[in-house]
């Protein structure tokens, strides 16, 4: 299972992905699923569940903003989680 860290734009998504990669966390940039992106222009960075806490620590220390954190559940779609 993985988590999506949603960002407001491609640029912020790239910043998040680059910061996480530099910290040794594998991150994949993708367009946010329509069900969690009402405007359709946001991007998300996918990370594995084992790295969530560390990833959020890295982003908060570097003051890189993100819109939310979501987890996908088969058959239930995406749910926002407390970050």
């Amino acid at each position: 299972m993985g988590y999506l860290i949603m960002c407001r734009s491609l640029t912020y998504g790239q910043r998040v992905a680059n910061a996480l990669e530099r910290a040794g966390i594998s991150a994949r940039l993708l367009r946010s699923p329509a069900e969690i992106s009402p405007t359709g222009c946001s991007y998300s960075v996918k990370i594995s569940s084992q790295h969530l806490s560390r990833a959020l620590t890295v982003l908060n220390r570097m003051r890189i903003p993100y819109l939310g954190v979501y987890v996908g559940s088969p058959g239930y779609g995406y749910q926002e989680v407390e970050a």
Side-chain angles (χ1 to χ4, degrees), residues 1-5 25-26 45-56 69-72 81:
M1 173 173 46
Y3 286 91
L4 296 180
I5 300 172
I25 299 170
S26 180
V45 176
K46 186 173 185 175
I47 61 169
S48 72
S49 57
Q50 66 189 24
H51 297 301
L52 179 62
S53 178
R54 192 163 140 238
L56 296 179
V69 179
Y70 295 82
V71 62
V81 296

Side-chain angles (χ1 to χ4, degrees), residues 13-49:
Q14 291 169 331
R15 288 180 185 172
V16 167
N18 289 337
L20 296 179
E21 289 285 345
R22 282 193 306 270
I25 299 170
S26 180
R28 192 174 120 221
L29 181 65
L30 50 99
R31 186 174 289 278
S32 295
E35 73 181 270
I36 64 171
S37 177
T39 61
C41 60
S42 68
Y43 280 77
S44 291
V45 176
K46 186 173 185 175
I47 61 169
S48 72
S49 57

